[in-house]
Amino acid sequence: MLRFTFLRLALLGLLVAPAAVLRAASAEVPYFSDNGYGNPVSSLQHPAGEHHAGVTYVAYQGPHEDAYVAAYVHATASWIGPVLAGVSPMGKSPDQIDPAELDNHGKPALIVDRQGYIHVVFGAHGGDPRYGPNPLGEFFMGTKGKMTHVVSERPRDISRWRVLDNLPPFGTYSQWVKLSNGDLYLFYRHGGHRSDWVYQKSVDDGRTFSAPVSVLRHKPSSADPLVHDAWYAWFERGQGDTITASYVYHPCAHPRHSSHRQNAYHMRFDAVAGRWTNVQGKPLTLPVTKELADAHALIEATGSLSSSHGTCRVDALGHPHVVFPVAREVRYYRWDGHQWLPPVAVGAGAGRVNDGDFIIETPEKVRMLLQVTTEAGTELGWWNTSDGGRTWARGTPLLVSTERTFRLSALLANAHPDALLLASSRSATDAHLYRRMHLLGESGPLARPAAEAGHLGDRLEQVKLLPPPKLEKAEAKRKKKAGLLDEEP
Ligand code: ZN
């Protein structure tokens, strides 16, 4: 324990001198693996891990876009893995060095059930027509993959896994919510853009699930015949046995598709009463349509300003606090019991700001993790408010680098203070798509002996044989996404 404490202090000291962090590689490194791949984690597929019985289990996208799992044992400050937990049908072999060749949508979400079995769902971007018709969505915008559910063969043991073939193949953006009695809810989008967001409930530790229940409805827009109502949503356990849903609207156009998303919405589910309501408690009938959401669940209409899914937490009074990235801001919204207080752009003026999952201490006191990038480099650290979100002050940095940038998961389930969330990092000079994986706690990343943190084998040699990235293809993909080119029918 003494060694552990010393190490943590040493790391903390090193973190304000970023060059020194990287020089520490000869002994201890601030990452547990170097085999993250592409975009290994996101706040959308979540939780990326869970703390259970003294161990934090984490999942991320590794080589071949497969699901990898590692474990950190808090009492001994030691690591297990990573191990290959499940194979993604979307991965290409050999591993690619061209980012345009990766799908990146099938990242894993992990939960530990009542008995200690570890479940991971991953591997799809809307499913593939070869699996038959999708009753709750359309094959649109290049859907592929197969939603895959794997479970550890033994409780609390990540060494061996098997596939549980008990979910539809079409899901993407998988999100687990576990309630106090152990009931599991798996939320996901049931196909491509033009699909319902659904949940399936399991009362037997993920061995069987109810049929999908549509929460958000996809349909042709009533306002524009060329547009289809589509959504990006984020689900999380709220106070007690409630589930929050925070979401944004995607006007899915054809032709001239664009990735534009707008507005900010919130509603919640009382799992005991089996009732969905808006923030004022007005009952909502499922599936919620665009019209119903606009009338009863809207926090802010952002119009032409693009919004993106964020995260949502609930305070001790049962009031939601929500973050949505809007345009170039990370906007914080709080319900005070009567109204949504005006949004505040956290970290405004500090640089380019990304992400923003947060911890509520009291309704007035909140700590948010932000990544701020300036010409000087990137800083990942706390921003704090003690006046209910009106003002935010920069707090302790957890990771600082002049050359590396980071991607964050949402907070892990039941997170231990030493292991709050996952981050991946990359250097712009890397001639490959492998990423370092960091497990970050209150004081920064947990360390690992350098000799244990290398998991690439001969992959760096293998990718040297590949042709260079096709820059034109990446540009065409970017333009198509931005709506500058019509897509294929
Ligand atoms: Zn779309």
Side-chain angles (χ1 to χ4, degrees), residues 140-141 189 192-194 228 230 232 250-253 257-260 487:
F140 182 70
M141 293 295 290
R189 192 181 68 192
H193 288 197
R194 300 178 166 194
H228 201 94
Y232 288 84
H250 169 48
C252 189
H257 184 265
S258 88
S259 59
H260 181 68
E487 78 233 7

Side-chain angles (χ1 to χ4, degrees), residues 299-300 331-334 336 339-345 388-390:
I299 305 173
E300 186 185 19
R331 287 190 184 170
Y332 166 84
Y333 306 75
R334 183 167 74 93
D336 71 354
Q339 61 181 332
W340 290 103
L341 297 176
V344 176
R390 282 189 290 276

